[in-house]
């Protein structure tokens, strides 16, 4: 298990290995290139964690769990459904998700396993796909459902309001992405509880398919889709409200927690 966190330290942004006693061992070099562990340490409790990378692209996959496609009233896709979130939507562990002034009423959570690409990938086979992965983290594909389902044709705006892409708390390099439990809790209540073994397109398939269509730059994040239990499909629907706390937990990685506030 190697966990790598990103954070502010003495006015600069640094990466560090999260050691088992919650000590951060600072990294020298570039986690997307050559790096080594340094002798310098900082207690985890003394830093403010950031999303584990500052990605050049945020690629997301829709309708990638069978039961979620069903609850959304959509057909099981024949090939991955690709969309993008803006990089300005990136959000940090512990930082608030803002209910946007333009669309505050139907903001929803989506727990997702996030792949972090470690090296440039183009036309990569399924067999070799995981060699291009630096690690995995927890993500929340926050979505304004009124924009997504009624007001707009494309999902871009619904998925890209500022703060709508929380990621963290760190990346984990050693994980079997095909078999991990993934959950969302809203104010402590379990809303989504699934396993990545229900993914329609596995992480290997996604990396191979995406890289056949576009270059995956180092640091690119791929949000792999959400399981069933999202708020808009519930009866009655559940949407995020100011004062709520959303937690995404993935076994083997950790818990990504964000409060919800009005813009
Ligand atoms: Mg999603």
């Amino acid at each position: 298990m190697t966990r790598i966190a990103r954070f502010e330290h003495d006015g600069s942004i640094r990466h560090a290995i999260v050691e088992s006693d919650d000590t951060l061992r600072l990294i020298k070099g570039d986690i997307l290139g050559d790096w080594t562990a340094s002798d310098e340490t900082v207690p985890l409790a003394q830093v403010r964690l950031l999303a584990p990378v500052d990605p050049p692209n945020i690629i997301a996959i829709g309708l990638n769990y069978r039961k979620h496609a069903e609850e959304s009233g959509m057909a099981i896709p024949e090939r991955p459904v690709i969309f993008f979130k803006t990089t300005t939507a990136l959000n940090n562990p512990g930082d608030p998700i803002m209910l946007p002034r333009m669309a505050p009423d139907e903001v929803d959570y989506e727990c997702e396993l996030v792949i972090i690409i470690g090296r440039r990938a183009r036309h990569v086979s399924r067999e070799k796909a995981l060699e291009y992965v630096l690690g995995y983290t927890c993500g929340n594909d926050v979505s304004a459902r009124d924009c997504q389902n009624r007001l707009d044709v494309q999902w871009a705006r619904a998925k890209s309001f500022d703060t709508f892409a929380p990621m963290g708390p760190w990346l984990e390099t050693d994980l079997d992405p095909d078999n991990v439990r993934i959950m969302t809790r809203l104010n402590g209540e379990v809303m989504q509880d699934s396993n990545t073994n229900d993914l329609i397109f596995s992480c290997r398939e996604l990396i191979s398919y995406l890289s056949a269509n576009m270059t995956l730059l180092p640091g690119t994040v791929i949000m792999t889709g959400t399981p069933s239990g999202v708020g808009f499909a519930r009866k009655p629907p559940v949407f995020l409200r100011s004062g709520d706390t959303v937690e995404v937990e993935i076994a083997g990685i950790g818990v990504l927690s964000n409060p919800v506030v009005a813009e």
Side-chain angles (χ1 to χ4, degrees):
M1 304 276 280
T2 305
R3 291 179 170 172
I4 299 176
R6 181 169 162 265
F7 54 95
E8 285 178 14
H9 177 63
D10 286 347
S12 62
I13 293 176
R14 299 291 302 267
H15 281 96
I17 298 165
V18 184
E19 298 188 335
S20 54
D21 61 351
D22 289 345
T23 297
L24 295 173
R25 181 164 301 281
L26 296 184
I27 281 171
K28 284 189 291 195
D30 180 359
I31 61 158
L32 300 173
D34 293 326
W35 61 270
T36 53
S38 75
D39 296 334
E40 208 181 336
T41 61
V42 194
L44 176 61
Q46 284 183 13
V47 305
R48 192 174 79 88
L49 291 178
L50 302 174
V53 287
D54 185 9
N57 278 313
I58 302 176
I59 304 175
I61 307 299
L63 306 169
N64 199 21
Y65 285 80
R66 241 162 259 280
K67 278 167 84 180
H68 174 61
E70 284 167 18
E71 75 178 353
S72 304
M74 307 289 273
I76 302 292
E78 290 176 22
R79 63 190 72 80
V81 175
I82 302 171
F83 66 95
F84 298 93
K85 290 170 81 84
T86 51
T87 52
T88 45
L90 189 73
N91 199 359
N92 301 310
D95 281 1
I97 295 165
M98 283 191 305
L99 305 175
R101 269 202 299 268
M102 285 290 289
D105 296 331
E106 298 187 19
V107 177
D108 203 351
Y109 53 81
E110 291 190 354
C111 61
E112 306 207 1
L113 176 67
V114 178
I115 302 167
I116 300 170
I117 295 292
R119 57 196 181 98
R120 190 183 187 93
R122 181 77 171 126
H123 294 302
V124 169
S125 69
R126 289 182 194 188
E127 292 68 31
K128 294 218 156 101
L130 298 189
E131 296 173 16
Y132 292 79
V133 175
L134 173 65
Y136 303 88
T137 192
C138 307
N140 189 345
D141 176 18
V142 181
S143 307
R145 300 300 189 194
D146 41 5
C147 304
Q148 183 185 3
N149 294 336
R150 292 197 309 278
L151 301 175
D152 297 357
V153 175
Q154 296 216 350
W155 296 356
R157 183 170 70 117
K159 301 282 193 173
S160 291
F161 287 103
D162 289 0
T163 73
F164 270 28
M167 286 176 209
W170 37 65
L171 69 86
E172 169 58 62
T173 61
D174 304 314
L175 190 82
D176 173 8
D178 297 329
N179 185 21
V180 282
R181 189 177 182 187
I182 178 165
M183 310 174 70
T184 298
R185 285 184 296 270
L186 177 57
N187 303 322
E189 185 185 343
V190 175
M191 307 300 276
Q192 295 180 282
D193 186 358
S194 186
N195 188 297
T196 57
N197 62 19
D198 281 335
L199 279 168
I200 297 169
F201 301 103
S202 69
C203 291
R204 280 182 186 76
E205 289 175 285
L206 292 175
I207 293 164
S208 179
Y209 180 75
L210 287 165
S211 78
N213 288 284
M214 63 193 77
T215 300
L216 304 178
L217 296 171
T220 294
V221 296
I222 303 168
M223 303 190 74
T224 57
T226 201
S228 61
V230 295
F232 87 87
R234 292 176 167 268
K235 293 182 179 54
V238 173
F239 295 115
L240 300 180
R241 297 290 175 244
S242 183
D244 285 349
T245 299
V246 193
E247 291 173 296
V248 173
E249 178 163 6
I250 299 178
I253 301 177
V255 179
L256 168 67
S257 179
N258 297 91
V260 179
V261 302
E263 183 184 1

